[in-house]
């Protein structure tokens, strides 16, 4: 069974004014969630910096889409880091399914 991954954008930090634009995003706080569809899930949280260059295409803050911002996050992290995060999430879920350490009750408690 493969896990489903979803990005969640927690918040974005903005400069009120920068490079002639308003509400210019400079940090994106994100969460990547994994779910196996059988009640096991895992998450990783982080943030990335983004930079707007004067003259580059600009989207007003109110018009930003989740897909656009997730694209920024994935580009900032790079494919290798995103793959590593997903692998770590898979490991967390596997540890929930088959715990590497358990703490059964003491035998004399029964």
């Amino acid at each position: 069974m493969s896990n489903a991954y979803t990005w969640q954008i927690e918040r974005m930090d903005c400069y009120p004014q920068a490079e002639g634009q308003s509400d210019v995003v400079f940090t994106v706080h994100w969460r990547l969630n994994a779910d196996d569809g059988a009640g096991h899930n895992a998450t990783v949280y982080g943030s990335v910096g983004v930079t707007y260059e004067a003259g580059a295409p600009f989207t007003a803050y109110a018009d930003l889409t989740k897909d656009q911002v997730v694209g920024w996050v994935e580009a900032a992290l790079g494919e290798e880091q995103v793959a590593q995060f997903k692998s770590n999430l898979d490991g967390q879920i596997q540890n929930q399914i088959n715990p590497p350490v358990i703490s059964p009750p003491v035998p004399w408690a029964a």
Side-chain angles (χ1 to χ4, degrees), residues 43-60:
T43 190
V44 61
Y45 176 85
S47 61
V48 295
V50 294
T51 304
Y52 170 69
E53 301 291 335
F58 183 80
T59 304

Side-chain angles (χ1 to χ4, degrees), residues 21-52:
Q21 302 293 343
S22 298
D23 299 329
V24 178
V25 176
F26 67 90
T27 303
V28 178
H29 302 268
W30 55 267
R31 184 176 306 276
L32 180 59
N33 302 301
D35 189 314
D36 73 349
H40 305 100
N41 52 64
T43 190
V44 61
Y45 176 85
S47 61
V48 295
V50 294
T51 304
Y52 170 69

Side-chain angles (χ1 to χ4, degrees), residues 61-72:
Y61 189 88
D63 295 331
L64 291 172
T65 66
K66 178 181 177 182
D67 287 343
Q68 182 177 8
V69 176
V70 166
W72 297 347

